[in-house]
Amino acid sequence: AAGPKYNYYGWDPAQNHSLQSGLIAMMYGVLWEDKHLYHVGLDSYLITLQSVNEDGVLELEAIRGGSGLFYSGATLHTLLQIREIAKNQGHDLDDLYSETSKIHDAVAFLLDVVENEKLIMKYAKVDKTSNICKTYQKQCFHDNKRDTAFGWVTLYLKNFPEHENSKRIIKFYEELVSSQPINDG
């Protein structure tokens, strides 16, 4: 694989820092009633969702070596935050943009990786800007901060309680609290 079609050597508009800048612009737009800045956040949301590939992978994040899961989860969380802000403003992004369904694809991929970490390896081996993890062959969580990789879970469950992904999340949780191992899939 030649790697993603995106510019992972510099700032790509679909990359997590660009998305987070869009989130900040959107929050500013809401606070100061600036429609343009509000729409900067929506644009960032759409651009990032359009980068999700057919497997549900946020490629620009998954290629970050051992940090792929960490950054994919953080980016998914930012997408859900933008969706939540829009919802609070009376805008249902699920109805406005068909790309919103790609959130479910990205969640499904991350849940698949929880069951089988090897799924992210074809992306992680690109190993771009993974300066914290020592190897791409094992996903790491930066001082064990799994909250960044999985901070999206509560917001996702709240917004999509009946989705198949939510049922999988609850199953994982039940397996963890019962001390039963999660299947290799």
Side-chain angles (χ1 to χ4, degrees):
K5 60 187 174 189
Y6 304 100
N7 178 12
Y8 51 78
Y9 294 108
W11 292 103
D12 187 283
Q15 197 246 16
N16 74 81
H17 292 277
S18 299
L19 180 65
Q20 290 167 356
S21 295
L23 170 64
I24 291 168
M26 185 182 203
M27 290 189 294
Y28 181 93
V30 168
L31 183 63
W32 296 104
E33 298 179 7
D34 184 322
K35 288 183 181 184
H36 170 73
L37 287 177
Y38 174 79
H39 281 91
V40 167
L42 295 179
D43 290 345
S44 297
Y45 174 86
L46 286 173
I47 289 166
T48 301
L49 284 175
Q50 289 165 354
S51 78
V52 175
N53 76 11
E54 63 279 356
D55 295 326
V57 181
L58 287 153
E59 287 187 62
L60 286 167
E61 312 309 336
I63 63 172
R64 298 186 70 164
S67 302
L69 183 60
F70 177 88
Y71 282 103
S72 294
T75 300
L76 179 57
H77 194 186
T78 305
L79 286 166
L80 288 167
Q81 288 171 310
I82 289 173
R83 184 184 173 277
E84 191 74 7
I85 290 169
K87 185 172 82 174
N88 289 339
Q89 298 306 305
H91 300 133
D92 184 345
L93 299 187
D94 300 355
D95 289 340
L96 292 173
Y97 306 118
S98 62
E99 290 90 349
T100 297
S101 66
K102 291 186 176 189
I103 286 175
H104 302 299
D105 299 338
V107 167
F109 177 75
L110 293 182
L111 295 176
D112 290 345
V113 170
V114 167
E115 290 185 311
N116 181 3
E117 191 174 292
K118 291 177 184 168
L119 294 173
I120 202 168
M121 287 307 134
K122 75 178 184 178
Y123 302 99
K125 70 181 180 183
V126 176
D127 206 19
K128 291 294 173 194
T129 61
S130 176
N131 54 358
I132 297 175
C133 299
K134 293 182 177 23
T135 178
Y136 72 86
Q137 296 174 331
K138 178 82 179 136
Q139 294 297 298
C140 70
F141 295 100
H142 308 277
D143 299 324
N144 213 24
K145 292 180 183 167
R146 295 172 196 261
D147 54 336
T148 300
F150 299 103
W152 54 268
V153 168
T154 302
L155 195 51
Y156 187 84
L157 288 172
K158 176 185 168 226
N159 282 280
F160 307 105
E162 300 303 318
H163 195 279
E164 282 303 311
N165 290 333
S166 294
K167 293 173 186 173
R168 282 180 75 192
I169 292 166
I170 297 300
K171 182 178 175 231
F172 288 159
Y173 173 76
E174 290 171 350
E175 289 177 6
L176 288 170
V177 297
S178 70
S179 300
Q180 298 295 317
I182 294 174
N183 296 337
D184 283 347

